Amino acid sequence: MKLRNGAEYIESLRQLRPRIYYKGQMIEDVTRHPATAPHVRAAAMTYALASKTKYKDLATATSHLTGRTISRFTHIHQNIEDLIKKIKLLRVLGQKTGTCFQRCVGFDGINAVYSVAYEVDKKYGTDYMERFKQWLIRIQDDNLMVVGAMTDPKGDRSKGPADQSDPDQYVRVVERREDGVVIRGAKLHMTGAVNSHEILIMPTTALDERSRDYATVCAIPIDAPGVTLIFGRQAGDDRRDHLERIDVGKPRFGVVGGEAVIAFEDVFVPNERIFMNGETDYAGSLVYRFAAHHRANYGACKTGLMDVLTGAVSYLAQIQGTAKGSHIRDKVTEMIHLSETLYSSSIACSAEGQPTPSGAYLVDTMLANVCKQNVTRFHFEVARLATDIAGGFIATMPSEYDLESEAVGHLVEKYFSGVSEIPVKERIKIGRLIEAMTGGTAMVESMHGAGSPQAQRIMIFREGRLAEKIKLAKALAGIPGRGKDKAAGGGKK
């Protein structure tokens, strides 16, 4: 691997020249700017673990394309063991960073595109798979970070791509040339975009023939001409931007994944970087597979975050002298129970994975959707329990400026103290960590990342096999079948 550790990854970003804006100003160096540096450090952890003996088995893999050792985040899942190792790795990274480490979206996109490109080639005689393999080998050998770009702005959501008054509300091909295509549009909420090397563009929905120009899958360097990124605001970002060390909660790492808008203004993509070009009948399969992989992740990475949150509130209870209370122990027990239940969902959908025709393994899609649906509930309940245990001081703590003030610092020290042997600063630090991990931006990402709750419910109902279940009930009740039993729910895709 060219980039062997976190320091080399950070240095590689300094060689790029992406066009990134934040609060109306251009960011010259994402590795040093206070808004983006915490997200760079979180992603760097994925590189750091790969260089440590303890985690090498989880963080690296053997490429089926070259036989060389590669980052697991650039690997094509070859078996169930690969799917499970991924889940274990994500939990560890969640524990180490307490936030999003950003490489999962590109990882899942790579696996989805690989399996779909194979099937498109089989049907249409295209050479997308070979193009994709050649691109992927470079990604693997150089250990590059890829941002998976799927979510379009969507404009008027009552209309599909071809019916929008502004056709750029979905990324589309605006010109086809002999040597490539020109694309225009945008992708929103792109996790890790500002500190990635490459963008992997995918459609965001199933498409009909009228939307042929929107059925595009391609790869673009992050600093390609015509690409502009706008870095999003987060709750508490002024504290971070002013380099506050205590009040920011997590001074080393970001709150979420450093999401950004990526705008494409007539960007040229050469043929060798195009992996779908108008094959609308496969857009839905690509979205379906990507979503399944990505939803499976959340029961692992968010469990890692919940581990940190459980530890934080348990320590705060010790500081406040409430740790031995039966009601506190019961709530902490429930936090652990919910975390492990969620983790088991990720393990289950991985253990039930199956190979696609390409040979790449796909998680069990029903269980992956159940997993992400649980995240939208369990993570919020764990956060609720944490703030319940912590108490109201989470919302009313004086700032670190007051703590360090000659005028009032002694009052903060006196009245925010807990048990005598633990410094007041530790109570405030752990309180700010809990605040950061249960606040607006962090929880919104858990709700809507990898698709909003309704998206999972649609898939769960669609894959619910209700016709089979009706037959089971009729058989036990002694009700004869009447031709082909029908039900509102379908089977697995």
Side-chain angles (χ1 to χ4, degrees), residues 150-208:
M150 178 167 279
T151 305
D152 291 289
K154 299 186 180 73
D156 181 346
R157 298 190 181 205
S158 69
K159 299 177 180 179
D163 297 316
Q164 295 289 324
S165 59
D166 178 358
D168 297 341
Q169 292 300 318
Y170 291 77
V171 171
R172 65 190 178 110
V173 173
V174 295
E175 182 183 353
R176 286 185 167 85
R177 302 177 183 172
E178 191 172 319
D179 57 345
V181 300
V182 177
I183 65 169
R184 189 185 300 160
K187 295 291 185 178
L188 305 188
H189 327 307
M190 294 295 98
T191 298
V194 300
N195 49 290
S196 290
H197 303 97
E198 292 263 336
I199 308 166
L200 181 60
I201 297 172
M202 300 167 281
T204 195
T205 187
L207 300 168
D208 58 26

Side-chain angles (χ1 to χ4, degrees), residues 457-471 484-492:
R457 299 189 72 80
I458 289 169
M459 296 309 301
I460 290 167
F461 186 77
R462 185 179 296 174
E463 298 191 7
R465 293 175 173 159
L466 292 185
E468 294 178 25
K469 292 170 183 176
I470 288 172
K471 287 181 181 179
K484 186 176 182 181
D485 288 310
K486 295 182 179 180
K492 297 197 78 173

Side-chain angles (χ1 to χ4, degrees), residues 297-463:
N297 298 348
Y298 271 63
C301 63
K302 298 308 177 194
T303 301
L305 271 60
M306 289 153 67
D307 291 337
V308 174
L309 189 54
T310 302
V313 78
S314 295
Y315 183 54
L316 182 60
Q318 293 177 19
I319 294 172
Q320 297 179 163
T322 59
K324 294 182 180 179
S326 60
H327 64 296
I328 298 297
R329 293 168 64 90
D330 184 62
K331 290 168 184 173
V332 171
T333 298
E334 181 64 5
M335 292 172 73
I336 296 169
H337 163 71
L338 290 171
S339 298
E340 299 304 331
T341 300
L342 187 54
Y343 182 63
S344 69
S345 290
S346 277
I347 292 291
C349 65
S350 301
E352 291 289 308
Q354 294 289 332
T356 63
S358 70
Y361 268 64
L362 178 66
V363 295
D364 183 283
T365 53
M366 165 64 96
L367 296 182
N369 280 282
V370 169
C371 176
K372 178 54 176 59
Q373 183 77 184
N374 286 341
V375 172
T376 67
R377 300 175 180 180
F378 294 0
H379 196 183
F380 280 75
E381 178 61 10
V382 168
R384 187 191 71 80
L385 289 166
T387 53
D388 180 3
I389 295 169
F393 102 108
I394 294 293
T396 61
M397 280 181 284
S399 72
E400 63 186 79
Y401 303 105
D402 296 307
L403 177 64
E404 296 165 359
S405 165
E406 291 185 8
V408 297
H410 65 288
L411 297 176
V412 176
E413 287 275 357
K414 179 179 178 68
Y415 293 115
F416 281 84
S417 61
V419 297
S420 58
E421 63 268 24
I422 300 178
V424 170
K425 183 176 285 190
E426 291 191 13
R427 184 188 183 201
I428 293 176
K429 279 185 173 181
I430 211 75
R432 289 298 186 199
L433 175 62
I434 294 167
E435 177 190 44
M437 296 189 74
T438 59
T441 307
M443 301 313 295
V444 169
E445 194 275 335
S446 269
M447 178 67 76
H448 293 288
S452 299
Q454 190 60 28
Q456 291 108 56
R457 299 189 72 80
I458 289 169
M459 296 309 301
I460 290 167
F461 186 77
R462 185 179 296 174
E463 298 191 7

